[in-house]
Amino acid sequence: MITVQNINKSFGTYHVLKNVSTEFEKGKTNLIIGQSGSGKTVLMKCCIGLLDIDKGEINFDDRPFSALAEKRKKDIRKEMGVLFQGGALFDSLSVEQNVMFPLNMFTTMTPEEKLDRVNFCLKRVNLENVNQLFPSEISGGMMKRVAIARAISNSPSYLFCDEPNSGLDPKTAEVIDQLISEITEEYNITTVINTHDMNSVLQIGQKISFLYKGELWWEGNKNTILDTDNRELNEFVFSTELTRRLRK
Amino acid sequence: MLKLLGEYLILLSEIFKRPDKGPVFRRQLLVEFVGLGVDSIGIVAIISVFTGAIVALQTAYNIDSPLIPLTMVGFTTRQMMILEFSPTIISLILAGKVGSRIASEIGTMRVTEQIDALRVMGVNPANYLILPKITASMLFNPVLIIFSIVVGLWGGWIACLVSGLVTSADFIAGLRSWFEPFTVVYAMIKTLVFAFIIASVSGYLGYNVDGGSVEVGKASTRAVVVSSILIIFFDLILTQLLLV
Ligand SMILES: Nc1ncnc2c1ncn2[C@@H]1O[C@H](COP(=O)(O)OP(=O)(O)OP(=O)(O)O)[C@@H](O)[C@H]1O
Ligand SMILES: [Mg+2]
């Protein structure tokens, strides 16, 4: 479980996150939703420690994280897997080397053990025989899956995914969502997902936090989100023809 | 300006930390030897051989007094290559070739969040990305410069033979006269300083890219401009300190 307490983050005079407090639960897919610019990515980057917070506290299973110096953060980062918005695969490394990277950095496995683990993870995301290809040689959906494989290769306890299915066709998007939620359950991971895709929300939204202009506006799950009377949330949820039809 | 200098120094302090994993550093170093060093041999060879030839011919044409011996041609070519041409001009060319490459490579990694990904995976990105580049440049550029001197002198010799302006014996006698080993030391010191400037300044500019592909392009151009200006500037300072 990750607890976020009263965090604030500003860039210059621009106050992006305002007193956000929430909890991300273990073994569940925790979704952060909100309009573009509402602060989802900033919130996630604060959780990972890529951005320093101005005020507040972030704890990973009761271990303080946000207050640690960069060097000490490494101990908890060992247990994190992160899927960045664009995949962020290292383009000078092959698929295999990408997935192996966290193992090289964090473990003392032998080369054979590492290769086994890499192949296992690639298989888990339904990719085989792509080990020697480079990121520039595979499709966008495959890149996302390789990035997921890399994120889970060191068996993380915490998984962060920033818009895992943006830019993908609905079918592939669903496959990715399913994959993430399966992995979450299978390994009892605390998973945090940024999204503005209503399909994902209704499919895997076990816990949903709605950010509105940098404030935590509403919390619930995929069942409660459709019949709330929160005006800003309704505007967000029923902004498309598809979801409007759903209400009727 | 002061803020930039401060940022640059802070980044340097990040870069010069002991690498977390020795084998990883050595592998990166090897990659950079090829990318920054070996890949530059061709252009260095071509430019040096022609410049050596041109310097030799120009000197030969300009000597029209019978009082000046033709051995001066070999002597002048050698001095020119060692003192200025090889260390400075070749470094300027490397600033264009290697500097833009470093800045755009690291800048692209920044805008595609690869640098963030490195940090999350427990890596100090400045150290992991830039230290091997600085090390490889400082180890390999001296080799390139020595190579450039040798190839340049060879070009001068060929030019004299082909044009028939100076005999081989005269040229070689000139090459051997009044040789001061310190000139080579001076050339090597310049080379090392310039190599450090190229790799660290370009690395810094790439590392601090903010935005998208347009900014990466700008950073890569700035890397060439800024490192070239710094090279010329430090050329003046080092010459003043070491030779005058
Ligand atoms: N490094 C930064 N410097 C200054 N402002 C920033 C920075 N990063 C984000 N912001 C600002 O913070 C706000 C929230 O950005 P954020 O990236 O979190 O949005 P988001 O909710 O992830 O949107 P999207 O769905 O488009 O990804 C934006 O207005 C953005 O301009
Ligand atoms: Mg975002």
Side-chain angles (χ1 to χ4, degrees):
Chain A
M1 189 175 72
I2 305 169
T3 51
V4 172
Q5 278 166 28
N6 282 317
I7 66 164
N8 282 273
K9 174 72 190 169
S10 306
F11 294 104
T13 55
Y14 182 39
H15 202 162
V16 180
L17 293 179
K18 297 161 196 153
N19 271 320
V20 175
S21 299
T22 184
E23 282 178 357
F24 301 122
E25 295 167 27
K26 201 177 182 70
K28 281 193 180 175
T29 42
N30 301 272
L31 269 53
I32 304 171
I33 61 171
Q35 270 178 14
S36 188
S38 56
K40 303 184 294 294
T41 299
V42 172
L43 177 57
M44 186 170 278
K45 287 198 168 167
C46 288
C47 290
I48 311 166
L50 288 174
L51 290 173
D52 289 325
I53 51 179
D54 304 332
K55 228 179 77 191
E57 231 177 84
I58 297 169
N59 298 304
F60 283 71
D61 289 313
D62 297 325
R63 292 172 297 173
F65 176 70
S66 50
L68 296 178
E70 177 77 16
K71 220 177 165 114
R72 307 259 326 267
K73 286 194 167 126
K74 218 170 141 174
D75 294 331
I76 294 182
R77 282 197 177 136
K78 253 182 220 180
E79 303 168 22
M80 287 182 195
V82 181
L83 173 62
F84 286 90
Q85 202 157 347
L89 295 179
F90 304 126
D91 31 38
S92 58
L93 302 181
S94 67
V95 165
E96 180 177 299
Q97 291 168 322
N98 262 288
V99 180
M100 205 181 278
F101 198 93
L103 302 177
N104 289 337
M105 284 301 155
F106 288 129
T107 72
T108 50
M109 289 177 169
T110 65
E112 294 78 38
E113 286 170 337
K114 284 190 258 190
L115 191 60
D116 278 349
R117 178 71 195 161
V118 168
N119 287 327
F120 172 82
C121 293
L122 285 173
K123 201 167 167 182
R124 190 67 197 76
V125 297
N126 304 320
L127 285 174
E128 274 170 288
N129 303 319
V130 294
N131 291 41
Q132 303 311 326
L133 295 180
F134 281 83
S136 57
E137 299 169 330
I138 58 180
S139 74
M142 283 162 91
M143 273 197 231
K144 281 267 158 71
R145 281 185 282 163
V146 174
I148 294 178
R150 183 177 69 181
I152 62 171
S153 70
N154 195 27
S155 316
S157 318
Y158 315 99
L159 181 62
F160 295 89
C161 306
D162 197 356
E163 314 222 355
N165 49 25
S166 62
L168 299 179
D169 65 86
K171 184 99 182 102
T172 313
E174 196 188 319
V175 171
I176 302 263
D177 278 346
Q178 280 309 333
L179 193 61
I180 294 173
S181 89
E182 276 169 33
I183 291 168
T184 302
E185 236 166 84
E186 211 171 309
Y187 305 108
N188 200 22
I189 302 174
T190 308
T191 299
V192 182
I193 303 170
N194 277 356
T195 187
H196 41 213
D197 180 354
M198 279 311 293
N199 288 323
S200 309
V201 171
L202 295 178
Q203 203 138 50
I204 58 169
Q206 293 181 313
K207 165 152 196 219
I208 300 169
S209 311
F210 174 61
L211 274 186
Y212 180 74
K213 296 191 176 161
E215 284 180 69
L216 190 77
W217 208 252
W218 180 89
E219 283 194 305
N221 60 46
K222 63 183 176 184
N223 301 317
T224 56
I225 196 168
L226 288 178
D227 37 45
T228 159
D229 48 15
N230 189 305
R231 196 167 59 89
E232 287 77 11
L233 180 59
N234 277 333
E235 269 172 23
F236 177 80
V237 171
F238 301 107
S239 57
T240 66
E241 183 58 33
L242 203 66
T243 46
R244 272 196 293 277
R245 285 194 191 169
L246 207 66
R247 179 145 62 166
K248 283 167 197 163
Chain B
M1 188 68 196
L2 270 179
K3 186 166 156 275
L4 290 185
L5 188 65
E7 269 178 26
Y8 173 72
L9 293 177
I10 290 171
L11 184 68
L12 283 185
S13 73
E14 283 294 310
I15 293 172
F16 287 100
K17 283 187 175 146
R18 215 170 67 82
D20 306 311
K21 294 252 176 176
V24 176
F25 174 74
R26 282 193 287 279
R27 205 189 52 219
Q28 288 291 104
L29 189 60
L30 221 61
V31 171
E32 301 303 346
F33 269 138
V34 176
L36 305 181
V38 177
D39 283 357
S40 304
I41 290 179
I43 186 170
V44 169
I46 292 173
I47 293 185
S48 304
V49 81
F50 279 95
T51 312
I54 292 163
V55 169
L57 289 180
Q58 286 180 345
T59 318
Y61 277 118
N62 279 304
I63 296 179
D64 44 12
S65 153
L67 289 177
I68 304 175
L70 280 175
T71 53
M72 276 311 283
V73 175
F75 171 78
T76 309
T77 310
R78 185 196 75 207
Q79 293 300 82
M80 286 282 285
M81 293 305 291
I82 295 180
L83 290 177
E84 191 62 13
F85 178 76
S86 291
T88 307
I89 306 296
I90 291 291
S91 289
L92 284 173
I93 285 164
L94 290 176
K97 184 170 182 293
V98 171
S100 62
R101 178 191 156 119
I102 292 177
S104 55
E105 181 185 325
I106 297 182
T108 305
M109 293 188 74
R110 164 67 74 195
V111 300
T112 55
E113 296 180 305
Q114 291 178 53
I115 290 186
D116 286 340
L118 282 172
R119 261 179 78 190
V120 170
M121 290 183 224
V123 179
N124 167 352
N127 172 279
Y128 174 82
L129 294 173
I130 306 178
L131 186 60
K133 293 190 191 336
I134 294 181
T135 316
S137 297
M138 291 183 72
L139 290 176
F140 208 89
N141 283 19
V143 177
L144 282 176
I145 299 306
I146 297 278
F147 172 72
S148 156
I149 294 172
V150 171
V151 171
L153 295 182
W154 181 75
W157 179 70
I158 294 280
C160 290
L161 285 193
V162 171
S163 66
L165 286 170
V166 183
T167 63
S168 173
D170 273 350
F171 188 83
I172 290 171
L175 278 189
R176 289 181 166 175
S177 52
W178 303 295
F179 178 65
E180 269 190 64
F182 183 73
T183 53
V184 178
V185 175
Y186 160 79
M188 285 303 112
I189 293 176
K190 290 210 301 189
T191 303
L192 287 176
V193 172
F194 299 162
F196 181 81
I197 290 175
I198 296 171
S200 65
V201 169
S202 312
Y204 163 76
L205 290 171
Y207 198 78
N208 286 307
V209 168
D210 193 5
S213 53
V214 177
E215 281 76 16
V216 174
K218 279 186 195 154
S220 126
T221 315
R222 271 183 74 199
V224 179
V225 173
V226 174
S227 37
S228 301
I229 293 173
L230 286 174
I231 285 174
I232 290 297
F233 179 68
F234 276 90
D235 190 19
L236 182 68
I237 292 185
L238 288 173
T239 306
Q240 185 76 23
L241 285 178
L242 297 171
L243 285 193
V244 180

